[in-house]
Amino acid sequence: MSNLHIRPARPDDVAAIFGMIQELAVFEKLEHLVVANEAMLQEALFCDKPVAEAIVGETGGEVVTYALFFHNFSTFLCKKGLYLEDLYVKQDRRGSGYGKQMLIALAQLAVERKCGRFEWSVLDWNSNAINFYESMGADVLPDWRVCRVTGDALTKLARS
């Protein structure tokens, strides 16, 4: 594996992270759903009570990968969990072991924080990612589906 320095994200990383978020959206064919901007990301990660955290991986002074995560909670375990929202490695850096190093760093963080679970979602068509996650020991749960209410549907539900 190449020399990757993994560290907590800093405010001066927001532009690089947001650029990779946009690349991820294009890769997932979901760029039409991106309404976020750098200022919103800055607020989410670095306000008085951040709603998420991020780590970045850099090599040669360039940020080439990021992971954005937050804590959730399991009532069955009665423990917090670490939920990985995004893990992205720039396309020209894939195959260098960076994704594996980032997952290991997050698993170490979850253990250090006494989390009962480390979870994330993957698109069902992304077989490369599914195979990679399974090779890292992850179980891809076949009987669970993500439920989402957003936009007008969220407003309508809140008013009912």
Side-chain angles (χ1 to χ4, degrees), residues 11-157:
D12 62 328
D13 295 318
V14 168
I17 294 169
F18 190 72
M20 287 186 282
I21 288 171
Q22 292 175 305
E23 289 176 26
L24 175 62
V26 170
F27 173 77
E28 292 181 340
K29 300 171 183 60
L30 298 173
E31 62 269 27
H32 61 285
L33 297 178
V34 177
V35 296
N37 59 45
E38 286 183 31
M40 294 166 72
L41 182 61
Q42 177 88 24
E43 176 72 14
L45 294 175
F46 300 107
C47 66
D48 288 340
K49 293 185 179 183
V51 295
E53 298 175 67
I55 59 173
V56 297
E58 61 183 358
T59 182
E62 178 188 4
V63 174
V64 297
T65 180
Y66 82 96
L68 194 140
F69 58 95
F70 54 89
H71 287 286
N72 57 12
F73 186 78
S74 166
T75 55
F76 287 9
L77 299 176
C78 213
K79 288 186 175 186
K80 66 183 172 184
L82 193 79
Y83 187 85
L84 174 60
E85 179 67 20
D86 291 346
L87 171 60
Y88 186 76
V89 177
K90 287 188 173 189
Q91 189 166 350
D92 65 341
R93 302 303 179 107
R94 293 185 189 149
S96 301
Y98 295 163
K100 181 177 183 176
Q101 290 178 62
M102 294 290 280
L103 274 180
I104 290 168
L106 290 164
Q108 290 169 343
L109 187 62
V111 169
E112 176 184 308
R113 293 182 181 185
K114 297 180 177 29
C115 294
R117 293 180 177 159
F118 174 30
E119 299 176 303
W120 60 92
S121 299
V122 61
L123 291 167
D124 62 357
W125 58 261
N126 195 343
S127 57
N128 287 338
I130 291 169
N131 292 336
F132 167 65
Y133 295 143
E134 288 176 335
S135 77
M136 295 290 296
D139 293 322
V140 178
L141 305 175
D143 50 348
W144 287 84
R145 300 291 182 263
V146 175
C147 299
R148 180 176 294 161
V149 182
T150 186
D152 292 338
L154 176 59
T155 303
K156 183 178 176 181
L157 178 60

